[in-house]
Amino acid sequence: SAQGVTIFAAASLTDAMNDVVKMYAAKSGVGVKSSYAASSALARQIESGAQADLFFSADDEWMDYLEKRSLIDKGTRFDRLGNRLVLIAPAGAARKVEIRRGIDLAGLLAGGRLATGDPASVPVGRYARQALTYLGLWAFAEAKLARADNVRFALTYVERGEAPLGIVYSTDVAIARGVQVIGVFPQESHSSINYPIAIVAGRGTAPVRAFHGFILGSEAAAVFQRFGFAVR
Amino acid sequence: MLTDFELQALWLSLKVALRSVALSLPFALGAAYVLARIRFPGKVLFDGLVHLPLALPPVLVGYLLLLTFGIRGPLGGWLFETFGLRLAFTSLGASIATAVMSFPLMVRSIRLSIESIDSGLESAAATLGASPLDRFFTITLPLMLPGVLSGCVVAFAASLGEFGAVITFVSNIPGETQTLPLAIYSAVQTPDGDAAAARLAALSLVLALSGLMVSEIIARRARMMLGGGPE
Amino acid sequence: MLTDFELQALWLSLKVALRSVALSLPFALGAAYVLARIRFPGKVLFDGLVHLPLALPPVLVGYLLLLTFGIRGPLGGWLFETFGLRLAFTSLGASIATAVMSFPLMVRSIRLSIESIDSGLESAAATLGASPLDRFFTITLPLMLPGVLSGCVVAFAASLGEFGAVITFVSNIPGETQTLPLAIYSAVQTPDGDAAAARLAALSLVLALSGLMVSEIIARRARMMLGGGPE
Amino acid sequence: MIDLSIRKQLGEFGLDVSFSVPEQGLTALFGRSGAGKTSVIAAIAGLLRPDEGHIRVSGRTLFDSASGEDVPVHRRRVGYVFQEGRLFPHLSVRDNLLYGQRRSPVVNRRIDLDEILELLGIAALLGRRPRDLSGGEKQRVAIGRALLAQPEVLLMDEPLASLDAPRKREILPYLERLRDELRVPIVYVSHAIEEVVRLANLVVVLDSGRVAAAGTPEELGERLDLRPLLGEFESGAVIDASMEAYDAVFDLSTLAFDGGRLRVPGNAGVIGAKVRVRVRARDVSLATQKPVDISVQNIFEGSVEQVAEEPGAYAELKLRVGNTRFLSRVTRESVSRLGLRTGSRVFLLVKSVSFDRETLSAAPGIASAGQRGHG
Amino acid sequence: MIDLSIRKQLGEFGLDVSFSVPEQGLTALFGRSGAGKTSVIAAIAGLLRPDEGHIRVSGRTLFDSASGEDVPVHRRRVGYVFQEGRLFPHLSVRDNLLYGQRRSPVVNRRIDLDEILELLGIAALLGRRPRDLSGGEKQRVAIGRALLAQPEVLLMDEPLASLDAPRKREILPYLERLRDELRVPIVYVSHAIEEVVRLANLVVVLDSGRVAAAGTPEELGERLDLRPLLGEFESGAVIDASMEAYDAVFDLSTLAFDGGRLRVPGNAGVIGAKVRVRVRARDVSLATQKPVDISVQNIFEGSVEQVAEEPGAYAELKLRVGNTRFLSRVTRESVSRLGLRTGSRVFLLVKSVSFDRETLSAAPGIASAGQRGHG
Ligand SMILES: Nc1ncnc2c1ncn2[C@@H]1O[C@H](COP(=O)(O)OP(=O)(O)OP(=O)(O)O)[C@@H](O)[C@H]1O
Ligand SMILES: Nc1ncnc2c1ncn2[C@@H]1O[C@H](COP(=O)(O)OP(=O)(O)OP(=O)(O)O)[C@@H](O)[C@H]1O
Ligand SMILES: [Mg+2]
Ligand SMILES: [Mg+2]
């Protein structure tokens, strides 16, 4: 990785980043290596001296973790992407609902479970917890959660009818064919969903900075938008 | 000393692992016997099928289980309609996931011990009037004991540690499906969860060690009975 | 027929798994021999230690490996300074992760087969002038062969399927550390990735089956040599 | 009662054996190492499937390649004492012994545990595991296990090979009783000629997988061509006699046979009982003048029927006393010195001490063994 | 050459055995099943560690609990023929045979593969695996393996138990040669008395883990108290003689001993060779008048030294001919009828046919076995 660039990116960015990398390679001739895994795993690896040049996290927490340990170049940290939290149901099964305080979640679940990421470990789960708390539903919902390790499987639970409802990012819905969005959580119900990017401390070589710039640029922004992300 | 949360995870892990071993044992015995003793076309394929859960990523196995045993899956749908049984998101489902994952390990162990049995002893039992089934239960099975035990221990330990298939198939529900590894995973994923993870890992270790110890004691007895090595 | 990406993952998986088996075999032989034949205080603890990777969630094992063998870890730092060897994030590291994970499986298998050896044969070899080491290599080891082989097969298959420890220890870098399970994981993260995942899973299966087939053939030879069961 | 004709290829070794034993009794398989004895026994037990042929025991067809019959091993009701023990290592001696008995029909249980324990001297071993037994102890347990399975045919592959002589002498009469009282046919492999001679109604000599000869021990004992196969298989004559008197002072029995009276040590049974004694050729000396004041008790006058000179120092003579035939083995020098030839009148000197228990057995079909003295 | 004194507790069985064999030769361990024979042999081999005691062979200390010496098994250079074979299942017969030889010092290789193959008749089996061998074939390979290890002491646990008589008769002289020519001490367990009598310089009788008696075969043969342990261990007298003449026409040798001349079948060696023959008590008949015209060739005049009456029908007499002692076993009735008592003058009738090859052996220390005729 002397000349090449290596980026560690959250697994939920897999397809969008793949396109960005391809586009960048076509444009600049520089190959970028990428590793997609849980933000937590990536952060720990960077802490352990992984040869990563950039870290593109799915939440602030693990970026903060590295920043606290001076493992990223603070000046290069930018909040790049945003996302929306949505309520999903199996395709064709349900009508739209407006998400607000006092909605009849129990009635919608009808004894079933609410699939989402594990609030303890998966960012989408954490946002879901915030939103449900805000809506006054957490006390009821906490015991009803089906906590997936990965958004992919929260989607599957809903798609396969194991869970009547799920909470995921709006960008995730594209992965699964058998689900539909039945409601969008209000922005104010949770802290803003954020994908920060930064250069790893001491690795800000010219090619790395160039790719960093490209991700922050408009060409990349178009790609991210195509995949449903809000671009900051 | 232990928090309720830890106790819950501990107890659940034990339950899931024990039930998993109990669930897979009869099938493993059958499969091991067939693989060790019977010659048939397509044996390698069957062998491969048995090993499948080992060679595939656990998450994928969990996913396939979801597709099969989920409410819309062929088997899951039937189970639900016939017995009102739901597996996804239940501890029973967790046991099934761990049973499937540890199945090849159990089969291997048992098969190995069947293959090391002197078939002359079974012949001797036959001349003494024992039918094939009788022989199996009075000669083959007891002589297989070390392998069966070893298989159970590996399966138990593997069940204690199984993560990917469980979390994928039955998700991570505290008190229902959150076994120790899932709890550890959650802790590790939290930036300051290291201490909690360490405690949980220690618990896991103690559990595994206890299982091993029990099995060692049984094995020593069995070995003494069988008149084996120098121990 | 196969894409470059698939071929790369296939080849890498094979390499990682084979190297993993080769890496753990000598240690597994040693550990199995000690566990089967030597009596010492704290044996259960040692046994527990050997089984540890099985009982812990793979992610935690990967994390512990990262702490130990990472460039800032005690062993990893030493290795890097002394030999310029980096393990984390390399395919060698992936082999180490899978070796650690499959170690207990290999040990169990080998141990079982050592325990089923008639120690009278070793005594006979001793009276014929064979020193302990000589006996081990000319009598014990050949008679253990079925167990060693079985252990290698399980370890190979488990290495092919290992996910959590690998992705945590060496990350998910195509061509470098992205074995089949990791590729499957990535495929599942993308829309319409199911087909790709299925192809990769099939590849994994074929690889595992080939390994099994080879081992079956060797095992059959070995069994014929040893004059075992009815097969 | 046993009718067997089998062919089987084992590697380069071809087995092609046929024999039939018309009457109840003990068939000895005899032959050099590797001749195929164990293979024949294994075929009867059903552990070796012949390529072709049939096996019938006591009227029951166990195997017939023509009709496709092949009774499964566990229904053949054989009691098999294996050449290599094969005790169940995980069971105690008691459970080993009872393994077969527990699986035998209750009505068939004619052989009793206590009796077997006493016969084999293994009562003290009941609680042990096979691995804590000595070689001979293992073998005795294996014999007991086979007997207690209440078999309808007993297959014994060198059962007494590693037992001490006193123990052998206890077991052999028991086998005779099994044969005669319970009418269990026995197929017996042994390299110990005394055993074979004592027990066998029929001896089948195998050589390289084929039957080289078959007949009574006496018939075979007279065949010089079999010597290389049989080794020191000693020739001798069998004499049917009946018990006439017992002298308790000197512990001698007097037996009457067609041609005279024999005095033998011990109590040979109730008065009138039919007994069969064997007089070994080497125990018969010859004289042309009647010796007097000699320790030899049995002196008969008879005639030489035939003189067969052997290679080496010996000659074997067939003699007749009354209607009874004797054999004698003396040096060729003696034959020449005494001028013995067919028709010569001679005195036979039969040392009474040469009648030991092993050559004294109840005439077949008469279950008198139970009453016989064990002097 | 063997000095052994060991104690060992095995479960409830206590082993406490001491004996020493001063001269080179073969020591037979004799005793009923479970007496401790295998345990003693295993202790010599180093496979059973005594709780206490010492073991010295040919001047080398193999074990001594006092000094803490304990030579590891593989350095003891024993050739052990196990009671249960223990062939290596994964090796061919050839590799089994050569396993020990390959590990023996080259200078010690006095026993040759080809010779062993011929002796044991196993040349055709070389490429096979043990599982394809018959019982006796396995045993022969096990014997060959132990011999080819070029041992400094040979431990044989019932090595010939399942071999046929002709094969036994080929192997026994070989063992004698080993003992005499290569001076390999042998410890030999057997229940076959003929073997023991023929081979042993010293017989150690074990009973329940203890030495019940030790001595030459002849000494023990005379001890009536040992009968229950020894069984049909036949009494007899050993006579040292020298070869005087060979009659090729009748294949008879004449041997001179202190008291007369014996005629024995076969060629007993070169003229002047010292030979030792054994005359079994039961082959000596007695007469108070010299019989004439009788097939018995050896008739000596002698005197009764002692009359020992046994329970049962027999009596045993010690007799003297010149300076040579004979034993005779006749019925009590004959003793009474002939009025035999100490001092009686009697004629001994010794059937020459009772000298078979197994009781005829070279006098110890004289390596004449090689020249002996095999008639
Ligand atoms: N581990 C053990 N526990 C209890 N008893 C034992 C053990 N090992 C051997 N014995 C007993 O020690 C005695 C001597 O055994 P050993 O094998 O030396 O006898 P042996 O003289 O060789 O008999 P055989 O002629 O039957 O082979 C036997 O009575 C046997 O039962
Ligand atoms: N699987 C096999 N392959 C080749 N040869 C075999 C096989 N099994 C047996 N034999 C041969 O068949 C012959 C007969 O074997 P069997 O065991 O019947 O002999 P046996 O008469 O019982 O001899 P022993 O007295 O030595 O026990 C032997 O020469 C043996 O080598
Ligand atoms: Mg045999
Ligand atoms: Mg023994």
Side-chain angles (χ1 to χ4, degrees):
Chain A
S1 66
Q3 303 95 12
V5 176
T6 302
I7 181 165
F8 278 19
S12 53
L13 294 168
T14 305
D15 37 339
M17 274 309 296
N18 276 344
D19 277 12
V20 170
V21 166
K22 238 180 268 165
M23 188 186 282
Y24 185 66
K27 187 181 162 218
S28 69
V30 176
V32 176
K33 280 196 203 166
S34 50
S35 175
Y36 303 107
S39 303
S40 56
L42 297 172
R44 303 251 194 215
Q45 287 165 358
I46 290 169
E47 186 187 4
S48 298
Q51 308 244 356
D53 301 314
L54 295 132
F55 180 41
F56 203 161
S57 173
D59 60 7
D60 286 321
E61 241 177 307
W62 287 103
M63 191 61 93
D64 293 346
Y65 180 86
L66 291 182
E67 189 176 319
K68 231 186 288 169
R69 288 161 176 75
S70 307
L71 291 168
I72 55 160
D73 185 347
K74 236 185 193 167
T76 60
R77 174 170 175 172
F78 290 95
D79 293 342
R80 182 53 178 141
L81 302 175
N83 216 333
R84 291 301 298 271
L85 209 56
V86 295
L87 188 65
I88 56 168
R95 61 232 129 60
K96 304 268 184 207
V97 292
E98 190 200 336
I99 300 179
R100 53 180 166 74
R101 270 175 227 265
I103 63 164
D104 182 17
L105 188 58
L108 289 171
L109 284 175
R113 288 190 177 270
L114 177 60
T116 187
D118 183 358
S121 55
V122 185
V124 71
R126 267 198 303 276
Y127 294 117
R129 179 173 58 198
Q130 286 176 4
L132 291 168
T133 308
Y134 176 85
L135 295 170
L137 295 169
W138 180 244
F140 164 74
E142 183 177 11
K144 291 285 171 191
L145 290 189
R147 300 154 195 247
D149 145 52
N150 190 294
V151 184
R152 180 69 177 89
F153 297 110
L155 288 165
T156 306
Y157 296 149
V158 177
E159 187 178 10
R160 303 293 304 176
E162 300 297 336
L165 296 177
I167 301 175
V168 297
Y169 294 138
S170 59
T171 51
D172 295 329
V173 180
I175 302 175
R177 229 175 259 117
V179 299
Q180 69 180 87
V181 175
I182 60 165
V184 181
F185 284 85
Q187 293 272 18
E188 67 277 15
S189 65
H190 53 87
S191 50
S192 72
I193 299 167
N194 194 23
Y195 290 74
I197 183 168
I199 295 179
V200 175
R203 304 194 64 99
T205 57
V208 171
R209 275 201 303 274
F211 185 54
H212 183 247
F214 183 77
I215 291 177
L216 295 176
S218 57
E219 281 166 288
V223 175
F224 290 128
Q225 271 161 343
R226 187 148 46 81
F227 282 94
F229 290 98
V231 177
R232 302 244 155 95
Chain B
M1 214 182 82
L2 293 181
T3 67
D4 281 357
F5 171 75
E6 285 165 348
L7 265 178
Q8 198 180 46
L10 181 74
W11 169 238
L12 186 70
S13 277
L14 186 65
K15 186 171 95 173
V16 166
L18 285 178
R19 204 166 40 189
S20 148
V21 169
L23 267 174
S24 48
L25 187 55
F27 299 99
L29 281 174
Y33 191 84
V34 165
L35 284 172
R37 287 288 172 83
I38 300 172
R39 209 167 185 164
F40 57 95
K43 183 164 167 176
V44 171
L45 223 74
F46 179 62
D47 201 6
L49 210 71
V50 167
H51 280 78
L52 202 56
L54 205 57
L56 291 180
V59 170
L60 183 60
V61 175
Y63 182 66
L64 292 174
L65 282 174
L66 197 59
L67 295 188
T68 317
F69 285 101
I71 201 87
R72 297 217 180 124
L75 261 168
W78 175 80
L79 277 175
F80 184 65
E81 270 154 41
T82 322
F83 305 103
L85 206 65
R86 275 192 96 123
L87 296 178
F89 311 140
T90 64
S91 72
L92 182 60
S95 291
I96 289 183
T98 56
V100 167
M101 286 304 291
S102 56
F103 189 68
L105 305 179
M106 213 183 225
V107 171
R108 268 278 154 188
S109 240
I110 299 177
R111 175 181 179 179
L112 203 56
S113 68
I114 296 180
E115 281 168 353
S116 73
I117 293 178
D118 173 7
S119 64
L121 294 175
E122 287 159 332
S123 303
T127 66
L128 293 165
S131 67
L133 214 68
D134 187 353
R135 297 203 284 275
F136 179 77
F137 282 106
T138 57
I139 307 296
T140 321
L141 195 57
L143 291 174
M144 272 159 58
L145 219 64
V148 174
L149 205 68
S150 180
C152 287
V153 170
V154 190
F156 179 77
S159 296
L160 284 183
E162 184 49 43
F163 169 76
V166 173
I167 201 165
T168 307
F169 181 32
V170 294
S171 100
N172 182 359
I173 303 167
E176 188 69 40
T177 63
Q178 189 177 55
T179 56
L180 282 168
L182 273 62
I184 293 174
Y185 178 75
S186 289
V188 174
Q189 298 294 70
T190 320
D192 296 309
D194 286 8
R199 279 178 66 94
L200 288 164
L203 271 184
S204 203
L205 179 57
V206 167
L207 206 57
L209 271 181
S210 315
L212 276 176
M213 224 133 71
V214 169
S215 83
E216 277 299 325
I217 292 166
I218 306 179
R220 208 164 289 173
R221 291 248 171 97
R223 234 172 295 138
M224 260 167 51
M225 260 176 45
L226 294 179
E231 251 217 348
Chain C
M1 214 183 82
L2 293 181
T3 67
D4 280 356
F5 171 75
E6 286 165 345
L7 266 178
Q8 198 180 43
L10 181 73
W11 171 238
L12 187 69
S13 277
L14 186 64
K15 184 170 95 174
V16 166
L18 286 178
R19 204 165 41 187
S20 149
V21 170
L23 267 174
S24 48
L25 187 56
F27 298 99
L29 280 173
Y33 191 83
V34 165
L35 284 171
R37 287 288 169 86
I38 300 173
R39 210 169 186 162
F40 57 95
K43 182 165 166 174
V44 172
L45 221 77
F46 178 61
D47 201 6
L49 210 72
V50 166
H51 280 79
L52 203 56
L54 207 56
L56 292 179
V59 170
L60 181 61
V61 175
Y63 181 48
L64 292 174
L65 284 173
L66 197 56
L67 292 184
T68 318
F69 287 103
I71 201 87
R72 302 204 178 122
L75 260 168
W78 177 79
L79 278 174
F80 184 63
E81 270 154 42
T82 322
F83 306 103
L85 204 66
R86 278 189 93 120
L87 296 180
F89 321 118
T90 64
S91 73
L92 181 60
S95 291
I96 288 183
T98 56
V100 167
M101 288 304 292
S102 57
F103 188 69
L105 305 179
M106 212 184 224
V107 172
R108 267 280 153 190
S109 239
I110 299 178
R111 174 180 178 178
L112 202 57
S113 69
I114 297 181
E115 281 168 353
S116 73
I117 294 178
D118 174 6
S119 63
L121 295 175
E122 286 159 334
S123 302
T127 66
L128 293 166
S131 67
L133 214 69
D134 187 354
R135 297 203 283 278
F136 179 78
F137 282 106
T138 56
I139 307 297
T140 321
L141 195 58
L143 291 174
M144 274 159 58
L145 219 64
V148 174
L149 205 67
S150 179
C152 288
V153 171
V154 189
F156 179 75
S159 296
L160 285 183
E162 185 48 44
F163 170 74
V166 173
I167 199 170
T168 310
F169 181 34
V170 296
S171 194
N172 182 3
I173 304 168
E176 188 73 42
T177 63
Q178 190 174 59
T179 56
L180 283 167
L182 274 62
I184 293 174
Y185 171 78
S186 287
V188 174
Q189 301 293 343
T190 57
D192 304 318
D194 285 8
R199 280 177 64 96
L200 289 165
L203 273 186
S204 203
L205 182 58
V206 167
L207 208 53
L209 270 180
S210 316
L212 275 175
M213 224 133 71
V214 170
S215 83
E216 278 300 326
I217 293 166
I218 305 181
R220 207 164 290 173
R221 292 249 170 97
R223 233 172 294 138
M224 261 168 49
M225 258 178 45
L226 294 178
E231 250 218 348
Chain D
M1 293 293 181
I2 295 176
D3 176 20
L4 177 146
S5 170
I6 52 175
R7 271 160 302 288
K8 171 85 184 176
Q9 198 64 35
L10 284 166
E12 288 167 18
F13 178 81
L15 187 74
D16 184 354
V17 169
S18 305
F19 60 84
S20 76
V21 193
E23 42 164 351
Q24 201 78 35
L26 187 143
T27 308
L29 291 184
F30 207 82
R32 301 204 53 173
S33 169
K37 305 178 294 297
T38 299
S39 306
V40 169
I41 282 205
I44 299 176
L47 298 178
L48 183 87
R49 197 176 193 285
D51 296 332
E52 223 189 327
H54 66 261
I55 301 170
R56 279 185 269 280
V57 173
S58 303
R60 209 156 59 106
T61 298
L62 298 181
F63 177 82
D64 193 333
S65 62
S67 70
E69 267 173 294
D70 187 4
V71 178
V73 182
H74 66 283
R75 299 229 184 79
R76 294 198 177 191
R77 305 211 52 70
V78 299
Y80 191 160
V81 181
F82 293 90
Q83 200 168 3
E84 353 73 69
R86 298 201 191 176
L87 297 183
F88 303 129
H90 60 301
L91 299 181
S92 66
V93 167
R94 174 192 296 283
D95 289 334
N96 264 284
L97 286 170
L98 293 179
Y99 192 93
Q101 189 181 59
R102 292 193 176 121
R103 285 159 180 81
S104 66
V106 178
V107 291
N108 276 5
R109 300 209 182 145
R110 307 154 300 176
I111 297 171
D112 178 60
L113 178 63
D114 292 331
E115 186 183 16
I116 291 297
L117 291 180
E118 216 220 322
L119 172 73
L120 299 168
I122 50 178
L125 309 178
L126 281 180
R128 295 231 208 123
R129 303 259 160 207
R131 71 148 174 174
D132 293 337
L133 301 180
S134 78
E137 285 163 353
K138 279 186 195 136
Q139 204 171 6
R140 283 182 274 157
V141 174
I143 295 172
R145 186 177 68 172
L147 292 174
L148 286 167
Q150 317 291 337
E152 289 176 8
V153 53
L154 199 54
L155 309 174
M156 311 188 88
D157 203 346
E158 304 192 34
L160 309 183
S162 66
L163 293 188
D164 51 279
R167 179 68 59 195
K168 265 187 200 170
R169 251 185 297 180
E170 282 163 41
I171 297 177
L172 286 173
Y174 184 86
L175 293 179
E176 286 181 327
R177 260 163 59 203
L178 269 189
R179 178 192 67 185
D180 299 332
E181 292 176 15
L182 299 184
R183 318 197 128 258
V184 177
I186 304 176
V187 181
Y188 194 96
V189 173
S190 173
H191 290 299
I193 301 98
E194 326 83 61
E195 282 171 34
V196 170
V197 164
R198 169 179 185 150
L199 293 169
N201 304 61
L202 180 79
V203 178
V204 176
V205 181
L206 296 183
D207 185 27
S208 309
R210 270 153 191 81
V211 175
T216 63
E218 293 72 34
E219 282 164 11
L220 298 187
E222 292 179 21
R223 279 184 57 181
L224 299 178
D225 60 316
L226 294 177
R227 286 284 150 87
L229 292 177
L230 304 180
E232 63 197 34
F233 194 98
E234 275 182 302
S235 55
V238 169
I239 289 150
D240 287 316
S242 67
M243 180 69 181
E244 208 176 66
Y246 173 64
D247 174 351
V249 178
F250 291 116
D251 191 27
L252 292 174
S253 298
T254 304
L255 308 176
F257 69 96
D258 185 349
R261 281 184 175 69
L262 266 171
R263 301 195 77 184
V264 303
N267 186 340
V270 294
I271 306 299
K274 299 260 171 258
V275 291
R276 176 179 266 193
V277 295
R278 182 156 192 276
V279 179
R280 284 187 283 186
R282 49 167 284 175
D283 283 326
V284 178
S285 298
L286 302 175
T288 47
Q289 268 188 45
K290 183 167 183 168
V292 289
D293 292 342
I294 189 164
S295 64
V296 179
Q297 300 204 354
N298 297 299
I299 301 179
F300 311 113
E301 195 173 346
S303 60
V304 176
E305 282 202 327
Q306 191 192 324
V307 179
E309 298 216 343
E310 301 174 19
Y314 295 106
E316 200 159 275
L317 292 86
K318 289 192 182 150
L319 304 144
R320 184 172 286 278
V321 175
N323 282 320
T324 302
R325 157 107 60 80
F326 285 82
L327 289 177
S328 172
R329 186 166 154 84
V330 298
T331 56
R332 286 192 285 118
E333 194 270 355
S334 299
V335 172
S336 142
R337 178 162 44 83
L338 300 178
L340 300 178
R341 64 181 69 84
T342 304
S344 302
R345 300 299 297 171
V346 289
F347 292 91
L348 287 74
L349 284 72
V350 179
K351 274 200 85 169
S352 60
V353 289
S354 67
F355 297 85
D356 54 24
R357 284 190 54 237
E358 298 207 354
T359 54
L360 183 68
S361 76
I366 302 201
S368 66
Q371 298 102 49
R372 253 196 286 138
H374 290 265
Chain E
M1 295 296 183
I2 296 177
D3 176 20
L4 176 145
S5 170
I6 53 174
R7 273 159 302 287
K8 171 84 183 179
Q9 198 62 38
L10 282 167
E12 289 166 18
F13 178 80
L15 187 74
D16 184 353
V17 169
S18 303
F19 61 83
S20 75
V21 193
E23 41 162 356
Q24 200 78 35
L26 187 143
T27 308
L29 290 183
F30 206 80
R32 301 204 54 173
S33 168
K37 305 179 291 300
T38 299
S39 305
V40 169
I41 281 205
I44 299 175
L47 298 177
L48 184 86
R49 199 177 191 282
D51 297 331
E52 225 188 325
H54 66 261
I55 300 169
R56 280 186 269 281
V57 173
S58 303
R60 209 156 60 107
T61 298
L62 298 180
F63 177 81
D64 193 334
S65 61
S67 69
E69 269 174 293
D70 188 2
V71 178
V73 182
H74 66 282
R75 298 227 185 81
R76 294 198 177 192
R77 305 211 53 72
V78 300
Y80 191 160
V81 181
F82 293 89
Q83 201 167 4
E84 352 75 68
R86 299 202 190 172
L87 296 184
F88 303 129
H90 60 299
L91 299 182
S92 67
V93 167
R94 174 192 295 281
D95 289 334
N96 265 282
L97 286 171
L98 294 179
Y99 192 91
Q101 188 181 61
R102 292 190 176 124
R103 285 160 180 80
S104 67
V106 177
V107 289
N108 277 4
R109 300 206 181 147
R110 305 154 304 177
I111 298 169
D112 178 61
L113 178 64
D114 291 333
E115 184 183 17
I116 291 298
L117 291 179
E118 214 219 323
L119 172 74
L120 299 168
I122 49 178
L125 309 176
L126 281 181
R128 294 232 208 123
R129 301 259 163 210
R131 71 150 176 174
D132 292 339
L133 300 181
S134 78
E137 286 163 351
K138 279 185 195 136
Q139 205 172 3
R140 284 181 273 157
V141 174
I143 295 172
R145 186 177 68 170
L147 292 175
L148 286 168
Q150 318 291 336
E152 288 176 8
V153 51
L154 199 55
L155 308 172
M156 309 190 88
D157 204 347
E158 303 192 34
L160 309 183
S162 65
L163 292 189
D164 51 279
R167 180 67 60 193
K168 266 189 202 172
R169 250 182 301 180
E170 280 163 41
I171 297 177
L172 285 173
Y174 185 84
L175 293 180
E176 286 181 329
R177 259 163 58 203
L178 269 190
R179 179 190 67 184
D180 300 331
E181 292 176 15
L182 298 185
R183 318 197 127 258
V184 178
I186 304 177
V187 181
Y188 193 95
V189 173
S190 173
H191 292 298
I193 302 96
E194 326 83 62
E195 280 173 34
V196 169
V197 164
R198 171 181 183 148
L199 293 170
N201 303 61
L202 180 80
V203 178
V204 176
V205 181
L206 295 183
D207 185 26
S208 309
R210 269 153 194 79
V211 175
T216 62
E218 293 72 34
E219 281 163 12
L220 297 186
E222 293 179 19
R223 281 185 53 181
L224 299 178
D225 60 314
L226 294 177
R227 285 284 149 86
L229 294 176
L230 303 180
E232 64 197 38
F233 192 99
E234 276 182 304
S235 54
V238 168
I239 289 151
D240 286 316
S242 67
M243 179 71 181
E244 212 177 63
Y246 173 65
D247 174 349
V249 177
F250 292 117
D251 191 25
L252 293 173
S253 297
T254 304
L255 308 176
F257 69 97
D258 185 350
R261 282 186 175 67
L262 268 170
R263 299 196 79 183
V264 304
N267 186 341
V270 293
I271 307 299
K274 299 261 169 256
V275 291
R276 176 179 264 192
V277 295
R278 183 157 188 276
V279 180
R280 285 188 284 186
R282 52 166 281 175
D283 283 327
V284 179
S285 300
L286 301 175
T288 47
Q289 269 189 46
K290 183 165 183 172
V292 289
D293 292 344
I294 187 164
S295 65
V296 179
Q297 300 203 353
N298 297 300
I299 301 178
F300 310 112
E301 195 173 347
S303 61
V304 175
E305 283 201 328
Q306 192 192 325
V307 179
E309 298 217 340
E310 301 174 19
Y314 295 105
E316 200 156 277
L317 291 87
K318 288 191 180 149
L319 304 146
R320 183 173 286 279
V321 175
N323 283 319
T324 302
R325 162 117 42 89
F326 283 82
L327 289 177
S328 171
R329 187 166 153 84
V330 298
T331 58
R332 286 191 287 116
E333 194 270 352
S334 300
V335 173
S336 144
R337 177 162 46 81
L338 299 178
L340 300 179
R341 67 183 64 86
T342 305
S344 302
R345 300 295 302 169
V346 289
F347 292 92
L348 287 74
L349 284 75
V350 181
K351 275 200 84 168
S352 59
V353 287
S354 67
F355 298 84
D356 52 26
R357 283 190 53 237
E358 298 207 354
T359 55
L360 184 68
S361 75
I366 302 201
S368 66
Q371 297 103 49
R372 252 197 284 140
H374 290 266

